[in-house]
Amino acid sequence: MGADEKHSELTAELREEIGRFRQSQVQSLQAQGKVVGCLGSMVPLELVRACGCRAVRLLEAGSAQDFEAAAELMGADTCPFCRCQIGRRLGGRSPQAELQVLVAANHCDQSRRSGQVFGQHFNVPLLPIMVPATWEDQSSLEMYVSELRWLGEELAQITGTFPSQSRLEESITAYGAARRAVGGLLEQLGNTPVLAHELVCLLGVADPVSLVGFVAQVRGQVARLASGESVAGDRPTVLVVGSIMGDEDISLLKALEGRCRVVQATCSGRMFVDLQVELKGGDAIEGLGRAYWEQLPSVRSRPNSPFYHYVNEMIQRYKVDAIVYRSLKFCDLWSLEAVRFKQEISLPVLALDCTYGPGQASLVDGRVQALLEMVEEARR
Amino acid sequence: MTDRARRGDLESGREEELALLSCEQADAAVAEVDAEYRKQCVYRAEGVEPLEYFQALSSYAEAGDHLLTRLRFDPSPAGLRLWSFVFSERKRLFAARQGGLKIFAVMKDLGTMPVLTYALAKAVTFYADELWWSPCLMEDTRLLDAAEAMGCHDQCCYVRAALGAYELHSHFPEPDLSIAAVGSCCDDFSAIMQLIAGRGHKTIFWELPLRKDRAAHISREQFAKTFDGESWYQRRALDFLVRQFERVKLAVEQVAGEQIREEMLRESIRRANKVRKLVRQIRDLAYGTVPAPLAGLETMLCEFLAIHYCSDPIQCAAVLEDVLKVVRQRVELGQGVLGGGAYRTVWAMPCTDPSIVQLWEKMGGCVTGTEYLISHSRYRIRTDGAPLRALAEAVLNDPCIGTTAFRAQRVVEEVRKYQAEGVIIPSIFGASHCSYEIREISSAVHRQCGVPVLSFEVPFSSKGVSDQVMGRLQAFAELLEQRRKKAGTN
Ligand code: SF4
Ligand code: SF4
């Protein structure tokens, strides 16, 4: 068996394992307390879990069928990611179908409104939380922390479990370990971005303790996969930023796979994995809030300089050669920023406006190829 | 409905229909206006050359707002003054700059921040949002093209014209400070405000909080009701907003080089309340009387004056007082600008192309209630307690910062209050909230009022209203007619 074949076989094996683990986690959802969907990266899973709930960060999206299924409740000109949340519930797909409570952040206008549609139409209690877009004044962070306290109290009313300091600490530690475990593997999976993405998405749906166990189980396979990559060092590094990437939203990653090293830095990528909450004995909710506030820079922040700062940091850290700036169709926050982004960043930037439609893959593939040819040319 | 309508004057045959004027006729009418009256129509501010604004409407058309030549206008001097006042804002802003006044551009909160800035005598404030209807008024895409060059394409609503105007310096002088409300607002304008700031225009961002609805499963939040407007909100949001206002106040004071003292703010609130009251009175008579004493566009202009006074609070109140006087007289005399049998419709979105409103009126319809996304600007602001807190509280009436259901309820209230036969939603092309709102508003109106809803998208066109929009309106008029026949009310 040649090196490439071996590589493909190992990749396929790992993907299967991830799929199986994911399946088992979804099946066990309801056995672990109320299933609480978290819409938006700023809803801390740690807090939800500390309230005796099973926290699910909603990252499942990307299929054209789910997108279409939402047509009866969502207009054609709405965010595909948001539409999928509705479409999956309508189609009985997990984990949206299992949600018993939804926590929706006003991360953008569309997630705020689609959270309302979800709550209203499916009769799921909706807990909306305000995540300020402004940050220059201390009051914004204080408001966010105050929202988290409120959320904890509200969930405690539903579950009877108050997020005490010790419960929070346990939960923060568990998620911290899971993030570190996944993060450790990601460093070796730069050349297999689809696999890396599927692994990251596990963080959204899995119980963190089980996830740590799973990562320990596959660590050897990942190492074997990485060690078999002979040409990896020569490949350019591409940073992916932009709209959230759902678990099935992989056409871009597929187009990049095998051609470059990929660092996926959307809010469902590195950012989600790298987050670490430091517990220095202080108030756990405050520490949690501060960590999310400071470590998840968003294009939606006003002003959004922290986001640019983050991108520049990633460029330095990973010695990035080019950037794919990806917006989802009808996502104003990302798509209207694209031209400015190109002006602000001094690297080749490919801006893509993506849908979940069937023609997407070939379109993306051609443009990615052109970008990489340009990068290769510059490197010569 | 007003007493007069209830008294049954319609049947007594006292109804008289006044004809609206073409632009040419309006010019002639303006020329005939008494010189004494004209002298009252002057923008005055310390250090600024007095600026007469009551002019031929065609002069404003020639200056760029070409659509005016296709519109029809209220025949009264008060009505014509209103149009002149609104369309002369650009001149006032440039005159103010020349006179050394500070210029504040406010964005998105639509009604509250100007109350803070107008506490200062040597400052003018305008909404960059207003540029939103400029492409249709100008019948040209210059502003949109300039925005497009900065990546702001037609996925975004027409408010992108504001970005174009900042870039071209065409509609207002460079503001000394832009005050941008973000957070619980549309993504379209949020993105644009960032682009404006990113282009180096001095900007301060402040947060519009998310207003939560009371719900059975929310038990750990303390709710309160706004002083006027009856909007429930979580108390924490108000405390947060006060801090936002304190921050903006400081920034404004730094730019102006003057402190805003409590009594200055109180006086500004008093002035705002006066304007708001005038607007409420006008719209109550305009929407609640048959035949309508004021047409849809004139009433819309009055409604929009409440948000920022068109850069002149003093003239704004005078203009509105004049309009109110005329409206009252007409109601008394049974005069209307539209027939008594007009189809009564609530408009649940402002129409980017104002000629569509007039087209509807020509087809036999009328505007009899609105939710133009600015309904919070007509509620009274509290005059007791700390004035900054009162302003902050007023923000919490904003129909756009909470649930879609909240705004839908405002539409339902309008339908009920003014006994509308239908609701029209002229969806704003590219606006991210419209899709969500059309569904929610339509279903709430059907469910609670049992009246039909028409929604259509308003595309940009420099050649008049599209056949498609015309056809939809025509079909809706026929539907309302059939419903009348069925109900035996025609
Ligand atoms: S992709 Fe854009 S519109 Fe969709 S949820 Fe994310 S930020 Fe909102
Ligand atoms: S999207 Fe709607 S609310 Fe936002 S600026 Fe445009 S018209 Fe106004």
Side-chain angles (χ1 to χ4, degrees):
Chain A
M1 194 186 285
D4 281 353
E5 270 172 85
K6 187 119 202 298
H7 187 269
S8 309
E9 198 178 286
L10 263 174
T11 309
E13 256 175 41
L14 265 167
R15 288 191 68 183
E16 255 176 53
E17 295 220 25
I18 289 175
R20 271 198 298 275
F21 175 69
R22 188 182 184 285
Q23 192 59 27
S24 71
Q25 289 296 301
V26 168
Q27 275 164 0
S28 71
L29 275 178
Q30 269 156 347
Q32 296 178 3
K34 287 264 181 211
V35 186
V36 176
C38 304
L39 194 56
S41 57
M42 294 294 283
V43 183
L45 304 175
E46 293 87 341
L47 172 61
V48 175
R49 183 173 185 271
C51 295
C53 307
R54 178 63 184 271
V56 177
R57 173 160 179 215
L58 297 173
L59 293 175
E60 287 70 19
S63 98
Q65 287 98 301
D66 295 335
F67 176 82
E68 288 306 329
E72 63 179 89
L73 292 177
M74 304 272 279
D77 53 355
T78 47
C79 158
F81 176 83
C82 292
R83 274 183 68 131
C84 276
Q85 303 312 310
I86 306 291
R88 288 179 72 101
R89 176 81 178 207
L90 284 169
R93 291 195 70 193
S94 296
Q96 283 81 353
E98 280 82 18
L99 301 186
Q100 292 161 301
V101 177
L102 180 66
V103 182
N106 65 330
H107 174 78
C108 66
D109 193 37
Q110 297 215 46
S111 66
R112 162 164 75 112
R113 292 183 195 269
S114 53
Q116 290 164 21
V117 172
F118 197 103
Q120 237 175 51
H121 192 81
F122 303 122
N123 209 14
V124 170
L126 171 70
L127 298 174
I129 65 162
M130 182 202 323
V131 179
T134 50
W135 55 270
E136 291 170 298
D137 187 66
Q138 182 66 11
S139 58
S140 297
L141 168 59
E142 285 173 19
M143 187 68 214
Y144 175 57
V145 172
S146 158
E147 284 291 277
L148 298 188
R149 286 193 205 288
W150 166 77
L151 176 62
E153 286 181 22
E154 217 55 90
L155 285 172
Q157 290 293 307
I158 296 172
T159 60
T161 305
F162 188 78
S164 61
Q165 179 81 5
S166 61
R167 288 194 65 88
L168 276 162
E169 284 176 1
E170 185 279 329
S171 184
I172 288 169
T173 307
Y175 270 107
R179 288 177 202 270
R180 268 191 303 277
V182 171
L185 295 193
L186 282 192
E187 294 299 337
Q188 302 172 64
L189 292 174
N191 295 309
T192 45
V194 177
L195 191 61
H197 180 57
E198 286 171 352
L199 193 65
V200 174
C201 288
L202 288 180
L203 255 179
V205 75
D207 164 64
V209 178
S210 314
L211 182 55
V212 171
F214 173 71
V215 169
Q217 212 180 297
V218 296
R219 195 173 286 132
Q221 282 158 284
V222 171
R224 276 208 302 287
L225 185 73
S227 67
E229 286 167 348
S230 50
V231 290
D234 304 333
R235 289 176 179 162
T237 299
V238 170
L239 184 73
V240 176
V241 296
S243 293
I244 188 168
M245 209 173 253
D247 67 337
E248 296 174 329
D249 179 11
I250 53 173
S251 54
L252 170 62
L253 299 176
K254 271 187 168 164
L256 292 166
E257 188 148 305
R259 291 167 159 166
C260 58
R261 192 166 158 255
V262 179
V263 182
Q264 206 268 73
T266 69
C267 71
S268 53
R270 279 251 60 131
M271 209 186 277
F272 182 37
V273 178
D274 290 343
L275 180 104
Q276 285 296 330
V277 186
E278 282 202 33
L279 279 174
K280 292 183 189 146
D283 174 68
I285 291 203
E286 174 140 11
L288 188 62
R290 194 173 282 279
Y292 271 72
W293 189 254
E294 288 168 357
Q295 295 176 46
L296 298 179
S298 168
V299 75
R300 168 248 185 194
S301 296
R302 295 292 175 260
N304 62 10
S305 40
F307 162 71
Y308 281 97
H309 186 73
Y310 173 74
V311 171
N312 281 316
E313 223 176 69
M314 296 299 275
I315 291 172
Q316 298 300 322
R317 192 189 322 166
Y318 291 101
K319 301 190 175 32
V320 170
D321 296 291
I323 297 184
V324 178
Y325 180 99
R326 193 192 83 109
S327 54
L328 280 178
K329 189 124 191 85
F330 301 117
C331 166
D332 294 330
L333 290 179
W334 283 102
S335 98
L336 300 183
E337 185 79 13
V339 168
R340 176 165 174 246
F341 185 87
K342 283 183 175 180
Q343 288 161 355
E344 298 275 326
I345 301 291
S346 51
L347 279 179
V349 176
L350 166 65
L352 289 173
D353 201 28
C354 301
T355 65
Y356 296 161
Q360 195 58 198
S362 57
L363 194 89
V364 167
D365 201 67
R367 300 202 50 201
V368 161
Q369 190 173 342
L371 171 79
L372 293 174
E373 277 167 10
M374 191 173 86
V375 172
E376 290 292 2
E377 187 63 41
R379 276 157 54 106
R380 257 179 235 136
Chain B
M1 307 285 267
T2 64
D3 283 352
R4 199 192 67 78
R6 263 192 241 115
R7 282 200 311 266
D9 288 353
L10 292 180
E11 291 83 51
S12 68
R14 278 183 54 203
E15 184 184 322
E16 183 193 335
E17 195 174 332
L18 300 166
L20 296 178
L21 307 179
S22 68
C23 190
E24 213 173 301
Q25 291 167 325
D27 281 355
V30 169
E32 277 168 26
V33 167
D34 179 42
E36 279 311 302
Y37 185 76
R38 200 186 291 272
K39 269 194 215 149
Q40 297 167 26
C41 308
V42 179
Y43 168 54
R44 294 177 204 281
E46 204 185 314
V48 181
E49 267 302 288
L51 192 72
E52 211 180 273
Y53 62 82
F54 197 178
Q55 291 175 5
L57 296 183
S58 59
S59 69
Y60 295 114
E62 279 155 22
D65 293 322
H66 303 297
L67 183 73
L68 286 174
T69 57
R70 286 201 286 121
L71 297 181
R72 300 177 75 74
F73 306 93
D74 189 280
S76 67
L80 295 167
R81 178 186 187 181
L82 170 69
W83 282 96
S84 286
F85 179 62
V86 169
F87 281 84
S88 55
E89 184 178 20
R90 200 184 308 182
K91 282 188 176 178
R92 271 191 294 283
L93 289 170
F94 283 102
R97 161 53 36 91
Q98 279 216 317
L101 268 59
K102 294 294 177 196
I103 313 276
F104 293 106
V106 278
M107 296 187 256
K108 197 67 213 93
D109 64 296
L110 297 175
T112 325
M113 209 37 94
V115 185
L116 175 73
T117 51
Y118 274 119
L120 294 162
K122 296 198 73 179
V124 281
T125 305
F126 72 96
Y127 270 103
D129 316 39
E130 289 163 45
L131 270 296
W132 156 91
W133 67 339
S134 286
C136 285
L137 285 173
M138 294 164 68
E139 299 184 321
D140 106 9
T141 58
R142 239 173 313 159
L143 298 178
L144 301 181
D145 295 343
E148 174 112 39
M150 284 173 278
C152 220
H153 43 75
D154 65 1
Q155 192 174 296
C156 173
C157 87
Y158 293 120
V159 87
R160 65 191 194 274
L163 178 62
Y166 264 93
E167 204 59 15
L168 300 178
H169 297 110
S170 53
H171 284 65
F172 46 81
E174 177 63 27
D176 293 290
L177 182 66
S178 295
I179 306 171
V182 293
S184 275
C185 73
C186 59
D187 299 333
D188 310 55
F189 208 11
S190 173
I192 286 168
M193 289 184 271
Q194 175 59 68
L195 292 181
I196 288 170
R199 300 290 292 177
H201 303 284
K202 188 175 175 189
T203 305
I204 180 170
F205 291 103
W206 65 284
E207 189 83 23
L208 287 169
L210 173 73
R211 185 190 48 235
K212 299 177 188 180
D213 280 357
R214 290 191 312 161
H217 63 272
I218 295 186
S219 60
R220 306 297 299 168
E221 194 71 87
Q222 284 185 2
F223 285 93
K225 238 183 199 182
T226 52
F227 161 71
D228 196 13
E230 310 270 292
S231 314
W232 287 101
Y233 64 91
Q234 70 279 21
R235 283 181 187 275
R236 290 177 306 129
L238 177 56
D239 296 333
F240 173 62
L241 259 172
V242 171
R243 292 179 69 182
Q244 300 293 300
F245 269 83
E246 280 166 354
R247 213 177 130 247
V248 176
K249 177 171 167 284
L250 202 66
V252 167
E253 288 171 341
Q254 274 164 3
V255 167
E258 187 186 355
Q259 214 195 328
I260 300 174
R261 294 188 309 279
E262 281 217 349
E263 61 273 22
M264 292 159 77
L265 202 46
R266 278 188 212 290
E267 175 55 23
S268 188
I269 289 176
R270 196 197 54 75
R271 227 179 5 232
N273 279 340
K274 182 180 170 190
V275 166
R276 289 170 180 224
K277 183 175 179 187
L278 285 165
V279 171
R280 284 198 304 274
Q281 288 172 320
I282 291 169
R283 70 190 299 283
D284 260 352
L285 289 171
Y287 298 149
T289 312
V290 178
L294 199 63
L297 282 190
E298 275 81 5
T299 317
M300 178 177 116
L301 295 185
C302 292
E303 289 204 47
F304 274 85
L305 283 186
I307 68 172
H308 68 136
Y309 323 129
C310 243
S311 305
D312 182 351
I314 295 164
Q315 279 297 309
C316 172
V319 167
L320 290 171
E321 273 164 0
D322 247 12
V323 172
L324 180 59
K325 213 185 295 167
V326 168
V327 168
R328 278 187 174 142
Q329 270 167 9
R330 287 182 183 165
V331 171
E332 218 27 66
L333 296 170
Q335 292 175 333
V337 287
L338 304 167
Y343 308 116
R344 304 176 60 74
T345 49
V346 164
W347 284 55
M349 209 78 84
C351 195
T352 34
D353 180 350
S355 68
I356 291 178
V357 177
Q358 293 203 333
L359 178 69
W360 174 240
E361 289 173 342
K362 262 195 211 153
M363 286 177 174
C366 70
V367 179
T368 184
T370 58
E371 211 310 302
Y372 284 149
L373 308 162
I374 57 163
S375 51
H376 53 303
S377 69
R378 60 175 183 263
Y379 296 117
R380 279 174 305 153
I381 304 169
R382 191 188 281 280
T383 49
D384 56 349
L388 211 57
R389 196 171 180 84
L391 273 190
E393 188 188 14
V395 172
L396 292 161
N397 279 320
D398 187 334
C400 304
I401 63 170
T403 59
T404 314
F406 178 97
R407 195 165 98 75
Q409 209 48 42
R410 286 252 169 103
V411 177
V412 165
E413 283 159 18
E414 286 286 282
V415 172
R416 287 182 175 149
K417 181 171 182 189
Y418 297 117
Q419 299 173 20
E421 297 163 90
V423 170
I424 295 182
I425 314 179
S427 167
I428 299 161
F429 196 84
S432 57
H433 53 95
C434 281
S435 272
Y436 296 87
E437 291 186 324
I438 288 171
R439 277 161 198 261
E440 181 76 36
I441 292 172
S442 304
S443 107
V445 166
H446 283 142
R447 219 176 38 242
Q448 298 184 51
C449 312
V451 301
V453 177
L454 168 69
S455 70
F456 53 85
E457 206 149 70
V458 183
F460 170 77
S461 160
S462 55
K463 298 188 192 82
V465 180
S466 73
D467 289 346
Q468 203 197 358
V469 170
M470 245 191 254
R472 302 286 309 278
L473 285 171
Q474 192 60 57
F476 196 58
E478 281 159 20
L479 173 70
L480 296 183
E481 183 59 31
Q482 277 166 18
R483 285 173 59 92
R484 280 185 182 180
K485 278 191 185 139
K486 226 172 171 182
T489 52
N490 65 334

